[in-house]
Amino acid sequence: MPDQIVIALGAHVLDTLVRPVEQIPEGQGGVLVDEIKVTAAGPAGGTALILARLGATVRSAGAIGTDLLGDQLLALLQRDGVDGSLVVRRDGVQTSASVLPIRPDGSRPAFHVIGANATYGPDDAPWDAIAAATHLHLGGPEFMGGDAAAQILSFARDHGVTTSLDSLAPGDPGMLEWIGAALPFVDYLLPNDEQVTGWTGIAELEAAARALVGRGAGCVAATAGADGAIVVTAEQTVRVPAFAVDVVDTTGCGDAFSAGFVRGLGLGRSPSEAAGLGCAVAAQVAGGLGTDWGEYDLASVQAFIGASR
């Protein structure tokens, strides 16, 4: 089987995580915590990092600032084997960043700066690199809009490149109209359950996913937390169970699922099998702090699956 070459294009974020946080101190108060950590993240950046750990050849494409945050984000991606040479650096705008106070149960609110992610679009796309890839994963189409995302995705499809798409946007009904033009050029849409039901206004997950297939997506593989994932095409629906783990932090679990799913496709697996790999990779990330937590690789994840089933 030929090597999998993935372009992870779109939103790149530098996360600062603090754990555990039960409340924000009032006034000038302070609280001692167990961990503070900085990681590369985002639906393009985080997915790129994890895909590289799983053995894919990965190139990141997106926009960051010329600030120290951008330097650190690139260094963290490169540390884990991601080629950052396609990342554009912008003067006068900061690198996208988040501060995430992690609750004891692993959930968290988020403080986020969009920054340079809002400046990236088709004029920046590395067309030759996309045409030479086997897979294009577009993370965060909401920052450029559906028409711009469609231009990039359709180019990839025209050159025989498999496409997938993930979003940071919440389940706002208006979001589907904003990014909807991209869906006919998406082979695999990788949202979470709240996005699927919120975007469509349909409360039942399978029916909501089918509505997105009806809008043009070839396959919807939606994560559903402890319920695993659901994989929906025009022909069938498959439910894929999650793996039981002690959850420390859910940050990056969606990106981990996307990475595992995309890697599974590159290994020739069916969408439901790819979703199983995605759930297993998400279980690795949930066990510690941040998107880059863990020392797993493809072999150890496969061993984890074998021991868990």
Side-chain angles (χ1 to χ4, degrees), residues 135-150:
H135 193 110
L136 171 67
H137 178 74
L138 197 160
E142 63 271 22
F143 295 112
M144 65 177 73
D147 290 336

Side-chain angles (χ1 to χ4, degrees), residues 68-80:
L68 291 175
L69 294 178
D71 293 344
Q72 189 165 21
L73 178 53
L74 275 181
L76 289 168
L77 289 171
Q78 291 165 353
R79 181 196 66 184
D80 279 308

Side-chain angles (χ1 to χ4, degrees), residues 55-214:
T57 298
V58 188
R59 305 186 75 185
S60 268
I64 62 175
T66 54
D67 50 10
L68 291 175
L69 294 178
D71 293 344
Q72 189 165 21
L73 178 53
L74 275 181
L76 289 168
L77 289 171
Q78 291 165 353
R79 181 196 66 184
D80 279 308
V82 177
D83 179 348
S85 62
L86 301 177
V87 174
V88 177
R89 304 206 68 168
R90 303 276 199 233
D91 290 323
V93 61
Q94 82 155 79
T95 298
S96 177
S98 294
V99 175
L100 306 171
I102 311 301
R103 300 187 181 100
D105 67 357
S107 64
R108 80 286 187 277
F111 301 90
H112 183 66
V113 173
I114 294 174
N117 283 332
T119 72
Y120 192 85
D123 289 345
D124 302 300
W127 302 111
D128 290 344
I130 292 172
T134 61
H135 193 110
L136 171 67
H137 178 74
L138 197 160
E142 63 271 22
F143 295 112
M144 65 177 73
D147 290 336
Q151 184 178 341
I152 297 171
L153 291 163
S154 63
F155 174 88
R157 288 270 292 268
D158 289 346
H159 287 79
V161 180
T162 303
T163 61
S164 57
L165 184 147
D166 187 17
S167 173
L168 272 174
D172 183 337
M175 188 55 60
L176 183 57
E177 296 310 313
W178 177 239
I179 66 172
L183 295 185
F185 307 101
V186 176
D187 294 317
Y188 299 96
L189 180 63
L190 307 174
N192 61 44
D193 51 354
E194 292 180 358
Q195 290 170 325
V196 174
T197 57
W199 291 346
T200 61
I202 300 172
E204 201 279 316
L205 181 57
E206 180 178 349
R210 288 202 172 279
L212 293 175
V213 172

Side-chain angles (χ1 to χ4, degrees), residues 212-307:
L212 293 175
V213 172
R215 290 289 297 262
C219 172
V220 175
T223 57
D227 292 328
I230 184 171
V231 180
V232 178
T233 65
E235 293 78 29
Q236 65 174 347
T237 297
V238 179
R239 294 185 181 272
V240 179
F243 292 83
V245 293
D246 293 328
V247 176
V248 171
D249 171 27
T250 58
T251 304
C253 287
D255 301 331
F257 175 84
S258 294
F261 187 91
V262 169
R263 187 71 181 112
L265 295 175
L267 295 170
R269 300 183 185 180
S270 69
S272 59
E273 292 170 334
L277 182 60
C279 287
V281 179
Q284 313 305 306
V285 172
L289 188 64
T291 301
D292 66 355
W293 190 84
E295 297 182 358
Y296 56 86
D297 58 12
L298 179 62
S300 67
V301 175
Q302 291 175 322
F304 169 78
I305 294 171

